[in-house]
Amino acid sequence: MFIFVKVYIYIMPNRPITRKERDAWKFAKEAHSGQVRKFIGLPYFDAHVKKVNEIVKRYTTDEDLLCAAILHDVPEDCYDDYEVGLAIIEETFGKRVSELVRELTSLKDEIDDVYDGDKASYLSDKMTHMSDGALIIKLADRLQNISDAFTASERFRNKYFEETWKIV
C-alpha cells in the first residue's frame, strides 16, 4: 500500500531582514544602478547581487554577513578607487562589514602584477586566507555565477568552470 502526500514548498522572496541590511540593499542598488548582468542584460543588482545574498541567507542570519553579501561587488565595480568604496562602506555599515567586503574585493593590479593575470591562482591563494564569513560569501558568489553560466558564451563558461575547478 502506497500513501501519496502532496508537499507544498513555499519559497519566500528574498528581502532584507534588518534595517541595516535594508540600508545595504538601497546603497548597493544605487551603486550598481545602470549596470547589467553580462550575457542576459538584466539589472546587475537583481540578477546577481540579490541572489548571492539569498544564498548566504539560507545559512545564516548574521546581519553583517548579509550586508557584506549585498555589498561584495561595490568597491571593484562601482568606484574607480576601490579604497574609496571601502571607506564609504566602513563609515556607513561599520568595520566588520567593510573588512568582509575588503576580503572579497579582487585587486586587478595584484592579479596582473603578482599573478601574471592568473585570476584563478590569485583567488585560490586569497581564499585560503579568508575569514569563514568572507569564504561563505565568496563561495555563494561562485555558486551564483556557476548557476548563471548557461547564459554565457561557451568560451566564457568554459574559462569560468576551469577557474572554479582550480580554486576549489
Side-chain angles (χ1 to χ4, degrees):
M1 178 164 160
F2 292 99
I3 299 175
F4 292 97
V5 178
K6 281 188 179 182
V7 177
Y8 294 96
I9 299 174
Y10 178 71
I11 298 175
M12 302 244 333
N14 185 22
R15 293 192 177 109
I17 57 176
T18 68
R19 174 177 286 150
K20 185 175 180 179
E21 186 187 3
R22 185 183 68 234
D23 292 346
W25 276 52
K26 183 178 179 194
F27 183 92
K29 189 169 189 158
E30 287 176 17
H32 289 292
S33 178
Q35 295 176 354
V36 294
R37 184 76 163 151
K38 273 187 215 175
F39 308 110
I40 58 174
L42 295 174
Y44 188 75
F45 180 82
D46 296 323
H48 176 68
V49 176
K50 269 175 48 174
K51 291 179 180 183
V52 172
N53 172 271
E54 183 177 15
I55 294 167
V56 173
K57 197 173 279 174
R58 291 177 194 164
Y59 304 101
T60 185
T61 57
D62 182 307
E63 180 178 59
D64 288 340
L65 283 182
L66 297 177
C67 288
I70 281 289
L71 299 165
H72 78 276
D73 279 337
V74 167
E76 66 187 80
D77 291 352
C78 304
Y79 290 90
D80 291 332
D81 180 351
Y82 72 91
E83 287 293 345
V84 171
L86 287 168
I88 292 169
I89 288 170
E90 181 169 348
E91 181 180 308
T92 309
F93 300 101
K95 189 168 181 67
R96 182 167 180 241
V97 172
S98 71
E99 287 174 351
L100 287 162
V101 173
R102 178 180 297 280
E103 288 183 79
L104 296 162
T105 300
S106 292
L107 308 178
K108 184 165 178 16
D109 290 343
E110 189 174 342
I111 295 167
D112 292 341
D113 298 343
V114 178
Y115 292 87
D116 278 335
D118 184 357
K119 189 173 181 182
S121 292
Y122 168 80
L123 287 173
S124 185
D125 286 349
K126 186 174 179 79
M127 289 169 68
T128 60
H129 297 94
M130 280 184 178
S131 65
D132 291 347
L135 189 58
I136 288 168
I137 297 166
K138 185 61 178 170
L139 292 172
D141 180 44
R142 294 306 284 198
L143 175 60
Q144 202 290 309
N145 285 333
I146 288 284
S147 299
D148 274 357
F150 69 92
T151 66
S153 69
E154 185 176 356
R155 181 172 178 246
F156 180 88
R157 185 173 54 244
N158 290 340
K159 181 181 177 196
Y160 197 83
F161 285 152
E162 263 183 54
E163 186 180 274
T164 301
W165 182 257
K166 183 175 180 181
I167 291 166
V168 174

